[in-house]
Structure formats: structure tokens, C-alpha cells
Amino acid sequence: MKIIFFGRPGSGKGTYASRIAPHLGIVHIATGDMFRAEVATGTPLGKLAEGYMKAGNLVPDDVTINMFKERIAKDDAKKGFILDGFPRDLEQSHALEKITKIDLVVNFVIDEDIIIEKALARRICEKCGNIYNIADIKRGNIRLPPLLPKKEGICDKCGGNLYQRKDDNYETIKDRQDTYVRQSAPLLEYYRQKGMVKDVSVIGGPEQMVPIIIDVIKKSIK
Ligand code: ADP
Ligand code: ZN
């Protein structure tokens, strides 16, 4: 199975992908996570990417596409994958097309104002990257409960400290939304015209969403 998870930054796709990929026996490839790892270890690639990430801009295509090509060429990607954060513009999607054929694009639908509230409340484990969220959102039929660790500020999985991502501040979050509308939304129309897109409304937390998404995937890919 070769699947793209698509949607606004902060739509929850990273959380869903990290849970669903192991369930389907495929790998989760997140270019944002890969860039953050490069930044954390201070590689030349990380140093280059950091400024773009802070500004909520896309890292240049040639750099991103090269990094992605190396990742997708690894053995574990042969059994299938969920792409999270790639492709993010038309040039990246064309590069992807030359590498492999995608079965399905799952598009997560959620309003920008909810995303912003949720994104400001995101916390990440500094050791293992596990994601938590401290906001409790109720609006109409939408109910996004918090995703709290058992002990405040500490990761359940590994005991690491939780932190707020540097790029999870209001300005950058808003810039990332604008970048999405400008550069990534046209990509969605491109996939839609090819009949590859299944829309999924984000109405609940991961516990509620994960089975819904797995169902959509199993019905769409035989
Ligand atoms: P979010 O979904 O909150 O934007 P990500 O972890 O997907 O977070 O990405 C963080 C940042 O990494 C992006 O804002 C961008 O600067 C960079 N990035 C991630 N994926 C790509 C990509 N495919 N192309 C260019 N830049 C990317
Ligand atoms: Zn952890």
C-alpha cells in the first residue's frame, strides 16, 4: 500500500500515520520529522532547512526531493508506506510520480481556527518524538479531547521530557497555514482530478479517527 496523508499542517495526520502504518505493516515517512532530526544533530542539511522551517516556508524542492529519494530507496519502504508531509507542492508530486505509483490520497478536512488552537497546545517527547496535546476543543459535532501524558510534562513511552516545537508558535503556525493554501492546496486539486482522493473530516481525537481512517483505506485499496 502506497498512501499519501494530506491536509493542513496540524490536521493530526502525523499522529494518525504513526499509529496506522504499523497496523498496516508499512512504514511512516514524515519529511518534517526527518528535517527536525537533521536540525537536532546539526548536519549541513539541518542548518540549511532550519531557517525555512522557522519561517513556516517550504524547504527548497531540490533538497527535499533528494532527502526523500534516499529515504524511499531503503528496503523497509518496499512493503509500502504512508507519506506524511510529502509531496507538498506540484514539483514534489511530479518527482514522486517518477519513483512510484500512489494508491490513495487521504485528505484530512479541518478548519484553520481549530488547527491553530490545537497546534499551540501540541507537546512532543524530546527523546522518542511521541506526540501529546493539552487542548480540549468542543465545537458543534467536533470534539477534540486532549492527549495527555499520565504524568505532566513526561512521556508515557520513554520517560523523556515533553517540549513545544520551536515552530509551534502563532506566527509560524499561521505562516504554515498560508503556505499550505498557496502551495499545497493546488496539489490536492491535481490529485482530486485523478480520482485519487478520499476526504476524511476530523471530528474527534486519534482514538476516534484511527478506526475511521483504517476503514477508508481498506475500502479504497483492494
Ligand atoms: P507541519 O505539518 O506542522 O507543517 P511538518 O513536520 O510536516 O509540520 O513540517 C515542518 C516543516 O518542515 C515545514 O514547515 C517545512 O518547513 C518543512 N517541510 C516538511 N516537509 C516538507 C516538504 N515536503 N517540502 C518542503 N518543506 C518541508
Ligand atoms: Zn518519549
Side-chain angles (χ1 to χ4, degrees), residues 11 39-40 56 69 72 117-118 123 133 149 163 197 205 207 211 221:
S11 56
V39 171
K69 275 186 181 163
I72 203 86
E117 190 177 339
K118 203 75 187 158
R123 299 293 180 271
N133 200 291
Y163 75 106
V197 179
E207 307 305 331
I221 304 177

PDB file of all heavy atoms in Angstrom, residues 11 39-40 56 69 72 117-118 123 133 149 163 197 205 207 211 221:
ATOM      1  N   SER A  11      -3.316  19.026  11.096  1.00  0.00           N
ATOM      2  CA  SER A  11      -4.601  18.327  10.977  1.00  0.00           C
ATOM      3  C   SER A  11      -4.589  17.008  11.739  1.00  0.00           C
ATOM      4  O   SER A  11      -5.619  16.341  11.827  1.00  0.00           O
ATOM      5  CB  SER A  11      -4.933  18.080   9.506  1.00  0.00           C
ATOM      6  OG  SER A  11      -3.883  17.377   8.891  1.00  0.00           O
ATOM      7  N   VAL A  39      18.134  18.934  11.899  1.00  0.00           N
ATOM      8  CA  VAL A  39      18.371  20.172  12.650  1.00  0.00           C
ATOM      9  C   VAL A  39      18.946  19.825  14.026  1.00  0.00           C
ATOM     10  O   VAL A  39      19.932  20.425  14.473  1.00  0.00           O
ATOM     11  CB  VAL A  39      17.063  20.992  12.812  1.00  0.00           C
ATOM     12  CG1 VAL A  39      17.271  22.154  13.779  1.00  0.00           C
ATOM     13  CG2 VAL A  39      16.587  21.523  11.456  1.00  0.00           C
ATOM     14  N   ALA A  40      18.354  18.826  14.667  1.00  0.00           N
ATOM     15  CA  ALA A  40      18.765  18.446  16.023  1.00  0.00           C
ATOM     16  C   ALA A  40      20.220  17.984  16.071  1.00  0.00           C
ATOM     17  O   ALA A  40      20.928  18.240  17.044  1.00  0.00           O
ATOM     18  CB  ALA A  40      17.842  17.355  16.565  1.00  0.00           C
ATOM     19  N   GLY A  56       8.127  29.070   8.501  1.00  0.00           N
ATOM     20  CA  GLY A  56       6.896  28.423   8.023  1.00  0.00           C
ATOM     21  C   GLY A  56       6.899  28.228   6.519  1.00  0.00           C
ATOM     22  O   GLY A  56       5.874  27.962   5.914  1.00  0.00           O
ATOM     23  N   LYS A  69      14.134  10.901  -1.757  1.00  0.00           N
ATOM     24  CA  LYS A  69      14.563   9.789  -2.630  1.00  0.00           C
ATOM     25  C   LYS A  69      15.436   8.793  -1.868  1.00  0.00           C
ATOM     26  O   LYS A  69      15.319   7.583  -2.057  1.00  0.00           O
ATOM     27  CB  LYS A  69      15.356  10.341  -3.818  1.00  0.00           C
ATOM     28  CG  LYS A  69      14.493  10.794  -4.968  1.00  0.00           C
ATOM     29  CD  LYS A  69      15.381  11.181  -6.145  1.00  0.00           C
ATOM     30  CE  LYS A  69      14.554  11.670  -7.314  1.00  0.00           C
ATOM     31  NZ  LYS A  69      15.389  12.417  -8.282  1.00  0.00           N
ATOM     32  N   ILE A  72      13.112   6.736   0.524  1.00  0.00           N
ATOM     33  CA  ILE A  72      12.180   5.816  -0.136  1.00  0.00           C
ATOM     34  C   ILE A  72      12.929   4.641  -0.778  1.00  0.00           C
ATOM     35  O   ILE A  72      12.354   3.594  -1.050  1.00  0.00           O
ATOM     36  CB  ILE A  72      11.331   6.585  -1.189  1.00  0.00           C
ATOM     37  CG1 ILE A  72      10.017   5.868  -1.482  1.00  0.00           C
ATOM     38  CG2 ILE A  72      12.082   6.840  -2.472  1.00  0.00           C
ATOM     39  CD1 ILE A  72       8.936   6.227  -0.546  1.00  0.00           C
ATOM     40  N   GLU A 117      -5.662  26.597  17.437  1.00  0.00           N
ATOM     41  CA  GLU A 117      -5.819  26.328  18.870  1.00  0.00           C
ATOM     42  C   GLU A 117      -5.114  25.021  19.261  1.00  0.00           C
ATOM     43  O   GLU A 117      -4.415  24.937  20.273  1.00  0.00           O
ATOM     44  CB  GLU A 117      -7.318  26.266  19.217  1.00  0.00           C
ATOM     45  CG  GLU A 117      -7.580  26.236  20.708  1.00  0.00           C
ATOM     46  CD  GLU A 117      -9.070  26.260  21.043  1.00  0.00           C
ATOM     47  OE1 GLU A 117      -9.895  26.681  20.199  1.00  0.00           O
ATOM     48  OE2 GLU A 117      -9.402  25.826  22.159  1.00  0.00           O
ATOM     49  N   LYS A 118      -5.301  24.023  18.414  1.00  0.00           N
ATOM     50  CA  LYS A 118      -4.730  22.698  18.683  1.00  0.00           C
ATOM     51  C   LYS A 118      -3.191  22.714  18.572  1.00  0.00           C
ATOM     52  O   LYS A 118      -2.499  22.117  19.386  1.00  0.00           O
ATOM     53  CB  LYS A 118      -5.318  21.709  17.663  1.00  0.00           C
ATOM     54  CG  LYS A 118      -5.290  20.273  18.088  1.00  0.00           C
ATOM     55  CD  LYS A 118      -6.343  19.966  19.117  1.00  0.00           C
ATOM     56  CE  LYS A 118      -6.173  18.558  19.646  1.00  0.00           C
ATOM     57  NZ  LYS A 118      -6.795  18.356  20.958  1.00  0.00           N
ATOM     58  N   ARG A 123       2.551  19.098  22.287  1.00  0.00           N
ATOM     59  CA  ARG A 123       3.797  18.841  23.018  1.00  0.00           C
ATOM     60  C   ARG A 123       4.422  17.554  22.473  1.00  0.00           C
ATOM     61  O   ARG A 123       3.710  16.611  22.133  1.00  0.00           O
ATOM     62  CB  ARG A 123       3.520  18.662  24.518  1.00  0.00           C
ATOM     63  CG  ARG A 123       2.879  19.882  25.197  1.00  0.00           C
ATOM     64  CD  ARG A 123       3.819  21.085  25.260  1.00  0.00           C
ATOM     65  NE  ARG A 123       3.181  22.228  25.914  1.00  0.00           N
ATOM     66  CZ  ARG A 123       2.467  23.150  25.283  1.00  0.00           C
ATOM     67  NH1 ARG A 123       2.301  23.091  23.967  1.00  0.00           N
ATOM     68  NH2 ARG A 123       1.922  24.156  25.945  1.00  0.00           N
ATOM     69  N   ASN A 133      -1.132  16.389  23.347  1.00  0.00           N
ATOM     70  CA  ASN A 133      -1.812  17.673  23.139  1.00  0.00           C
ATOM     71  C   ASN A 133      -2.622  18.037  24.373  1.00  0.00           C
ATOM     72  O   ASN A 133      -3.369  17.207  24.901  1.00  0.00           O
ATOM     73  CB  ASN A 133      -2.730  17.592  21.915  1.00  0.00           C
ATOM     74  CG  ASN A 133      -3.048  18.968  21.381  1.00  0.00           C
ATOM     75  OD1 ASN A 133      -3.758  19.747  22.027  1.00  0.00           O
ATOM     76  ND2 ASN A 133      -2.506  19.299  20.235  1.00  0.00           N
ATOM     77  N   PRO A 149      -0.229  13.113  28.700  1.00  0.00           N
ATOM     78  CA  PRO A 149       0.606  12.054  29.280  1.00  0.00           C
ATOM     79  C   PRO A 149       0.080  11.749  30.682  1.00  0.00           C
ATOM     80  O   PRO A 149      -0.610  12.577  31.278  1.00  0.00           O
ATOM     81  CB  PRO A 149       1.986  12.710  29.360  1.00  0.00           C
ATOM     82  CG  PRO A 149       1.698  14.161  29.502  1.00  0.00           C
ATOM     83  CD  PRO A 149       0.425  14.434  28.746  1.00  0.00           C
ATOM     84  N   TYR A 163       8.314  18.806  25.170  1.00  0.00           N
ATOM     85  CA  TYR A 163       8.617  20.197  24.834  1.00  0.00           C
ATOM     86  C   TYR A 163       7.688  20.690  23.739  1.00  0.00           C
ATOM     87  O   TYR A 163       6.987  19.901  23.098  1.00  0.00           O
ATOM     88  CB  TYR A 163      10.084  20.342  24.399  1.00  0.00           C
ATOM     89  CG  TYR A 163      10.373  19.820  23.007  1.00  0.00           C
ATOM     90  CD1 TYR A 163      10.602  20.684  21.955  1.00  0.00           C
ATOM     91  CD2 TYR A 163      10.411  18.449  22.748  1.00  0.00           C
ATOM     92  CE1 TYR A 163      10.863  20.217  20.672  1.00  0.00           C
ATOM     93  CE2 TYR A 163      10.673  17.979  21.481  1.00  0.00           C
ATOM     94  CZ  TYR A 163      10.895  18.858  20.446  1.00  0.00           C
ATOM     95  OH  TYR A 163      11.148  18.391  19.180  1.00  0.00           O
ATOM     96  N   VAL A 197      -8.459  10.898  -4.409  1.00  0.00           N
ATOM     97  CA  VAL A 197      -8.619  11.477  -3.069  1.00  0.00           C
ATOM     98  C   VAL A 197      -9.846  10.943  -2.325  1.00  0.00           C
ATOM     99  O   VAL A 197     -10.934  10.848  -2.895  1.00  0.00           O
ATOM    100  CB  VAL A 197      -8.729  13.019  -3.151  1.00  0.00           C
ATOM    101  CG1 VAL A 197      -8.918  13.623  -1.766  1.00  0.00           C
ATOM    102  CG2 VAL A 197      -7.494  13.612  -3.833  1.00  0.00           C
ATOM    103  N   GLY A 205     -10.656  12.890  18.324  1.00  0.00           N
ATOM    104  CA  GLY A 205      -9.253  12.624  18.587  1.00  0.00           C
ATOM    105  C   GLY A 205      -8.797  11.346  17.894  1.00  0.00           C
ATOM    106  O   GLY A 205      -9.593  10.658  17.249  1.00  0.00           O
ATOM    107  N   GLU A 207      -8.184   8.375  18.912  1.00  0.00           N
ATOM    108  CA  GLU A 207      -8.896   7.132  19.253  1.00  0.00           C
ATOM    109  C   GLU A 207     -10.107   6.937  18.345  1.00  0.00           C
ATOM    110  O   GLU A 207     -10.420   5.831  17.938  1.00  0.00           O
ATOM    111  CB  GLU A 207      -9.387   7.146  20.716  1.00  0.00           C
ATOM    112  CG  GLU A 207      -8.329   7.444  21.760  1.00  0.00           C
ATOM    113  CD  GLU A 207      -7.127   6.518  21.681  1.00  0.00           C
ATOM    114  OE1 GLU A 207      -7.307   5.361  21.241  1.00  0.00           O
ATOM    115  OE2 GLU A 207      -6.016   6.969  22.035  1.00  0.00           O
ATOM    116  N   PRO A 211      -9.707   4.298  13.648  1.00  0.00           N
ATOM    117  CA  PRO A 211     -10.520   3.247  13.016  1.00  0.00           C
ATOM    118  C   PRO A 211     -11.271   3.727  11.776  1.00  0.00           C
ATOM    119  O   PRO A 211     -11.406   2.979  10.800  1.00  0.00           O
ATOM    120  CB  PRO A 211     -11.531   2.862  14.107  1.00  0.00           C
ATOM    121  CG  PRO A 211     -11.054   3.474  15.364  1.00  0.00           C
ATOM    122  CD  PRO A 211     -10.103   4.574  15.039  1.00  0.00           C
ATOM    123  N   ILE A 221      -8.462   0.479  -1.042  1.00  0.00           N
ATOM    124  CA  ILE A 221      -7.378  -0.302  -1.635  1.00  0.00           C
ATOM    125  C   ILE A 221      -7.681  -1.779  -1.461  1.00  0.00           C
ATOM    126  O   ILE A 221      -7.823  -2.255  -0.344  1.00  0.00           O
ATOM    127  CB  ILE A 221      -6.022   0.023  -0.951  1.00  0.00           C
ATOM    128  CG1 ILE A 221      -5.734   1.529  -1.031  1.00  0.00           C
ATOM    129  CG2 ILE A 221      -4.894  -0.765  -1.620  1.00  0.00           C
ATOM    130  CD1 ILE A 221      -4.457   1.944  -0.322  1.00  0.00           C
TER     131      ILE A 221
END
